[in-house]
Amino acid sequence: PCPAGWHVPTSAEWVTVAGYFSPQTSVGAFNSTLKLPLAGYRDRASASLFNRGSNGYYWSGSPSGTSAAYLYFNSSAVNPAYSINRALGFSVRCVKD
């Protein structure tokens, strides 16, 4: 989904980037140079949008079968290494190679 010279961050890259969020919450994610908003996600079955304004979900470029790792954050926590089915409509953020 990224143009030439850019890529979706790997799970390991999300771990590194999330380590710089200060504080370790959605505030830190938005205040980072990536400006990650609380975009929520689109459900795979209903196509409904969920958790907009309360949770951030960003895919990594680290798939494993039908699942993939993703970065998750909300107003009280950051976790850069969750994994879930790839059918969900999470945000994608490209970073420069």
Side-chain angles (χ1 to χ4, degrees), residues 37-72:
L38 294 163
Y41 72 95
R42 185 174 296 275
D43 183 69
R44 66 186 175 122
S46 68
S48 297
L49 297 174
F50 290 96
N51 299 327
R52 288 177 298 153
S54 61
N55 297 5
Y57 305 86
Y58 289 82
W59 283 124
S60 77
S62 300
S64 178
T66 60
S67 296
Y70 68 98
L71 167 67
Y72 168 81

Side-chain angles (χ1 to χ4, degrees), residues 1-8 94-97:
C2 301
W6 296 75
H7 68 279
V8 176
C94 297
V95 295
K96 194 166 181 139
D97 292 345

